[in-house]
Amino acid sequence: MIEAGARVLLASASPRRKQLLESLGLAVEQISADIEERRADDEVVKDYVRRLALEKAAALADVGRQRSLPVVAGDTVVALGERSFEKPHDEDDAVRMLGALSGTTHDVHTSVCVCWREEPVVTVVSSAVTFRKVSEADARRYWATGEPVGKAGAYAIQGLGAQFVAHLSGSHSAVMGLPIFETSELLSRLTDWP
């Protein structure tokens, strides 16, 4: 079990990831990792999400060492087969994504990487989410709430987007943006921390 009040550096500006780490009793410092998030043409979705977490952690590894803090990084990609759905660019992009996911079971791949004194350790958690039918009008009303902005797949399972979810098989927290169980396990293995 992680010691309450232990400090970590989160390589993300995500309020959801910060909240999830705080639910473990951690004190969280946040710095957004400035990396290019672009999937290579031949890159498998799970490899892509794993690479992003590693790159985010590596980008802040020196800061973590200077502050004696483990770095936690993560990334989430929604996928229908090997077709990936990241953050929507605008309303039409969000409507397109929600329309593609409508009435389907899609995968949500979430990676978490912990970088401490040794080599970084990363894992990917995959969950299957089944959507009910989502009409264009539903998607546009949802966009108008502001919730889909900045969300992989243009929805937030922890908010109003839950109304589209008919079934979830896997980790609810991973679909939110950070798998709590796996993150706790990785942090619990660290030596000389906190």
Side-chain angles (χ1 to χ4, degrees):
M1 183 149 178
I2 299 170
E3 183 179 316
R7 295 171 49 239
V8 296
L9 177 61
L10 174 60
S12 168
S14 167
R16 293 173 314 284
R17 288 193 180 106
K18 182 175 190 260
Q19 181 182 38
L20 288 165
L21 284 171
E22 287 173 341
S23 75
L24 291 170
L26 295 168
V28 182
E29 291 185 33
Q30 277 184 287
I31 300 176
S32 184
D34 186 24
I35 65 160
E36 183 178 9
E37 297 186 33
R38 183 175 300 161
R39 184 176 165 203
D41 291 337
D42 60 345
E43 194 170 21
V44 174
V45 175
K46 286 174 92 169
D47 293 343
Y48 172 55
V49 78
R50 177 185 300 274
R51 176 176 60 81
L52 289 179
L54 279 164
E55 288 180 3
K56 288 176 183 181
L60 292 176
D62 286 342
V63 175
R65 279 190 283 278
Q66 290 166 7
R67 296 183 185 182
S68 296
L69 299 176
V71 176
V72 177
D75 201 81
T76 302
V77 175
V78 172
L80 196 54
E82 281 300 313
R83 184 176 170 197
S84 59
F85 298 84
E86 297 180 56
K87 298 169 187 167
H89 303 293
D90 54 27
E91 179 179 359
D92 289 337
D93 194 28
V95 169
R96 179 191 59 76
M97 287 184 194
L98 293 168
L101 299 174
S102 173
T104 70
T105 297
H106 57 274
D107 294 311
V108 179
H109 304 292
T110 301
S111 57
V112 59
C113 180
V114 173
C115 184
W116 184 224
R117 296 189 172 130
E118 304 85 25
E119 286 294 311
V121 181
V122 65
T123 190
V124 176
V125 176
S126 298
S127 303
V129 178
T130 303
F131 262 23
R132 69 163 171 83
K133 291 286 187 185
V134 180
S135 70
E136 182 178 339
D138 288 339
R140 292 198 184 277
R141 276 193 297 274
Y142 183 49
W143 176 263
T145 69
E147 187 176 89
V149 176
K151 308 292 191 302
Y155 74 94
I157 197 169
Q158 71 276 15
L160 296 171
Q163 66 187 303
F164 302 138
V165 178
H167 184 71
L168 164 67
S169 177
S171 169
H172 188 269
S173 64
V175 177
M176 285 175 63
L178 195 71
I180 290 292
F181 174 79
E182 288 79 5
T183 302
S184 174
E185 289 291 298
L186 292 178
L187 289 169
S188 294
R189 293 182 205 154
L190 299 182
T191 55
D192 301 323
W193 175 83

